[in-house]
PDB file of all heavy atoms in Angstrom:
ATOM      1  N   ASP A 158     -20.568  39.068  19.182  1.00  0.00           N
ATOM      2  CA  ASP A 158     -21.899  38.941  18.575  1.00  0.00           C
ATOM      3  C   ASP A 158     -22.244  37.475  18.339  1.00  0.00           C
ATOM      4  O   ASP A 158     -23.378  37.049  18.566  1.00  0.00           O
ATOM      5  CB  ASP A 158     -21.962  39.721  17.253  1.00  0.00           C
ATOM      6  CG  ASP A 158     -21.931  41.224  17.467  1.00  0.00           C
ATOM      7  OD1 ASP A 158     -22.190  41.670  18.602  1.00  0.00           O
ATOM      8  OD2 ASP A 158     -21.650  41.956  16.495  1.00  0.00           O
ATOM      9  N   ARG A 159     -21.270  36.675  17.872  1.00  0.00           N
ATOM     10  CA  ARG A 159     -21.535  35.254  17.596  1.00  0.00           C
ATOM     11  C   ARG A 159     -21.821  34.488  18.882  1.00  0.00           C
ATOM     12  O   ARG A 159     -22.718  33.652  18.928  1.00  0.00           O
ATOM     13  CB  ARG A 159     -20.352  34.632  16.852  1.00  0.00           C
ATOM     14  CG  ARG A 159     -20.496  33.154  16.604  1.00  0.00           C
ATOM     15  CD  ARG A 159     -21.711  32.803  15.766  1.00  0.00           C
ATOM     16  NE  ARG A 159     -21.810  31.355  15.638  1.00  0.00           N
ATOM     17  CZ  ARG A 159     -22.932  30.689  15.500  1.00  0.00           C
ATOM     18  NH1 ARG A 159     -24.068  31.353  15.431  1.00  0.00           N
ATOM     19  NH2 ARG A 159     -22.934  29.388  15.402  1.00  0.00           N
ATOM     20  N   GLU A 160     -21.086  34.785  19.968  1.00  0.00           N
ATOM     21  CA  GLU A 160     -21.332  34.111  21.238  1.00  0.00           C
ATOM     22  C   GLU A 160     -22.731  34.449  21.761  1.00  0.00           C
ATOM     23  O   GLU A 160     -23.439  33.574  22.273  1.00  0.00           O
ATOM     24  CB  GLU A 160     -20.259  34.514  22.264  1.00  0.00           C
ATOM     25  CG  GLU A 160     -18.882  33.936  21.945  1.00  0.00           C
ATOM     26  CD  GLU A 160     -17.769  34.565  22.748  1.00  0.00           C
ATOM     27  OE1 GLU A 160     -17.898  35.740  23.149  1.00  0.00           O
ATOM     28  OE2 GLU A 160     -16.750  33.874  22.968  1.00  0.00           O
ATOM     29  N   THR A 161     -23.128  35.694  21.574  1.00  0.00           N
ATOM     30  CA  THR A 161     -24.478  36.106  21.962  1.00  0.00           C
ATOM     31  C   THR A 161     -25.514  35.365  21.136  1.00  0.00           C
ATOM     32  O   THR A 161     -26.532  34.895  21.661  1.00  0.00           O
ATOM     33  CB  THR A 161     -24.646  37.632  21.794  1.00  0.00           C
ATOM     34  OG1 THR A 161     -23.652  38.287  22.588  1.00  0.00           O
ATOM     35  CG2 THR A 161     -26.028  38.087  22.230  1.00  0.00           C
ATOM     36  N   GLU A 162     -25.254  35.222  19.841  1.00  0.00           N
ATOM     37  CA  GLU A 162     -26.170  34.491  18.952  1.00  0.00           C
ATOM     38  C   GLU A 162     -26.275  33.024  19.364  1.00  0.00           C
ATOM     39  O   GLU A 162     -27.363  32.451  19.391  1.00  0.00           O
ATOM     40  CB  GLU A 162     -25.694  34.603  17.497  1.00  0.00           C
ATOM     41  CG  GLU A 162     -26.511  33.806  16.499  1.00  0.00           C
ATOM     42  CD  GLU A 162     -27.961  34.282  16.356  1.00  0.00           C
ATOM     43  OE1 GLU A 162     -28.310  35.371  16.860  1.00  0.00           O
ATOM     44  OE2 GLU A 162     -28.758  33.550  15.755  1.00  0.00           O
ATOM     45  N   VAL A 163     -25.147  32.391  19.709  1.00  0.00           N
ATOM     46  CA  VAL A 163     -25.159  30.986  20.142  1.00  0.00           C
ATOM     47  C   VAL A 163     -25.996  30.841  21.413  1.00  0.00           C
ATOM     48  O   VAL A 163     -26.830  29.932  21.511  1.00  0.00           O
ATOM     49  CB  VAL A 163     -23.722  30.462  20.354  1.00  0.00           C
ATOM     50  CG1 VAL A 163     -23.721  29.122  21.087  1.00  0.00           C
ATOM     51  CG2 VAL A 163     -23.003  30.341  19.019  1.00  0.00           C
ATOM     52  N   LEU A 164     -25.811  31.735  22.354  1.00  0.00           N
ATOM     53  CA  LEU A 164     -26.606  31.671  23.586  1.00  0.00           C
ATOM     54  C   LEU A 164     -28.089  31.855  23.292  1.00  0.00           C
ATOM     55  O   LEU A 164     -28.935  31.182  23.877  1.00  0.00           O
ATOM     56  CB  LEU A 164     -26.123  32.727  24.587  1.00  0.00           C
ATOM     57  CG  LEU A 164     -24.798  32.408  25.281  1.00  0.00           C
ATOM     58  CD1 LEU A 164     -24.370  33.588  26.149  1.00  0.00           C
ATOM     59  CD2 LEU A 164     -24.908  31.155  26.123  1.00  0.00           C
ATOM     60  N   ARG A 165     -28.421  32.791  22.380  1.00  0.00           N
ATOM     61  CA  ARG A 165     -29.819  33.010  22.005  1.00  0.00           C
ATOM     62  C   ARG A 165     -30.396  31.743  21.392  1.00  0.00           C
ATOM     63  O   ARG A 165     -31.508  31.319  21.726  1.00  0.00           O
ATOM     64  CB  ARG A 165     -29.936  34.186  21.028  1.00  0.00           C
ATOM     65  CG  ARG A 165     -31.399  34.568  20.757  1.00  0.00           C
ATOM     66  CD  ARG A 165     -31.532  35.566  19.635  1.00  0.00           C
ATOM     67  NE  ARG A 165     -31.099  35.051  18.353  1.00  0.00           N
ATOM     68  CZ  ARG A 165     -31.765  34.131  17.630  1.00  0.00           C
ATOM     69  NH1 ARG A 165     -32.882  33.617  18.077  1.00  0.00           N
ATOM     70  NH2 ARG A 165     -31.305  33.713  16.473  1.00  0.00           N
ATOM     71  N   LEU A 166     -29.631  31.106  20.501  1.00  0.00           N
ATOM     72  CA  LEU A 166     -30.103  29.870  19.872  1.00  0.00           C
ATOM     73  C   LEU A 166     -30.283  28.746  20.899  1.00  0.00           C
ATOM     74  O   LEU A 166     -31.267  28.008  20.857  1.00  0.00           O
ATOM     75  CB  LEU A 166     -29.144  29.439  18.761  1.00  0.00           C
ATOM     76  CG  LEU A 166     -29.154  30.333  17.510  1.00  0.00           C
ATOM     77  CD1 LEU A 166     -27.967  29.998  16.603  1.00  0.00           C
ATOM     78  CD2 LEU A 166     -30.469  30.193  16.762  1.00  0.00           C
ATOM     79  N   LEU A 167     -29.341  28.642  21.824  1.00  0.00           N
ATOM     80  CA  LEU A 167     -29.470  27.627  22.876  1.00  0.00           C
ATOM     81  C   LEU A 167     -30.713  27.882  23.727  1.00  0.00           C
ATOM     82  O   LEU A 167     -31.435  26.952  24.083  1.00  0.00           O
ATOM     83  CB  LEU A 167     -28.228  27.616  23.771  1.00  0.00           C
ATOM     84  CG  LEU A 167     -26.972  26.979  23.185  1.00  0.00           C
ATOM     85  CD1 LEU A 167     -25.779  27.250  24.082  1.00  0.00           C
ATOM     86  CD2 LEU A 167     -27.173  25.482  22.997  1.00  0.00           C
ATOM     87  N   ALA A 168     -30.966  29.134  24.027  1.00  0.00           N
ATOM     88  CA  ALA A 168     -32.127  29.481  24.848  1.00  0.00           C
ATOM     89  C   ALA A 168     -33.439  29.171  24.148  1.00  0.00           C
ATOM     90  O   ALA A 168     -34.450  28.899  24.805  1.00  0.00           O
ATOM     91  CB  ALA A 168     -32.072  30.964  25.224  1.00  0.00           C
ATOM     92  N   THR A 169     -33.447  29.196  22.810  1.00  0.00           N
ATOM     93  CA  THR A 169     -34.681  28.881  22.074  1.00  0.00           C
ATOM     94  C   THR A 169     -34.809  27.396  21.780  1.00  0.00           C
ATOM     95  O   THR A 169     -35.761  26.975  21.140  1.00  0.00           O
ATOM     96  CB  THR A 169     -34.740  29.668  20.739  1.00  0.00           C
ATOM     97  OG1 THR A 169     -33.620  29.305  19.925  1.00  0.00           O
ATOM     98  CG2 THR A 169     -34.762  31.162  20.989  1.00  0.00           C
ATOM     99  N   GLY A 170     -33.817  26.604  22.229  1.00  0.00           N
ATOM    100  CA  GLY A 170     -33.918  25.158  22.065  1.00  0.00           C
ATOM    101  C   GLY A 170     -33.272  24.616  20.808  1.00  0.00           C
ATOM    102  O   GLY A 170     -33.490  23.456  20.450  1.00  0.00           O
ATOM    103  N   ALA A 171     -32.470  25.404  20.118  1.00  0.00           N
ATOM    104  CA  ALA A 171     -31.808  24.929  18.898  1.00  0.00           C
ATOM    105  C   ALA A 171     -30.846  23.798  19.236  1.00  0.00           C
ATOM    106  O   ALA A 171     -30.208  23.791  20.285  1.00  0.00           O
ATOM    107  CB  ALA A 171     -31.063  26.077  18.228  1.00  0.00           C
TER     108      ALA A 171
END
Side-chain angles (χ1 to χ4, degrees):
D158 290 343
R159 176 60 183 150
E160 290 167 332
T161 302
E162 176 65 12
V163 168
L164 286 175
R165 188 189 64 72
L166 290 168
L167 285 171
T169 61

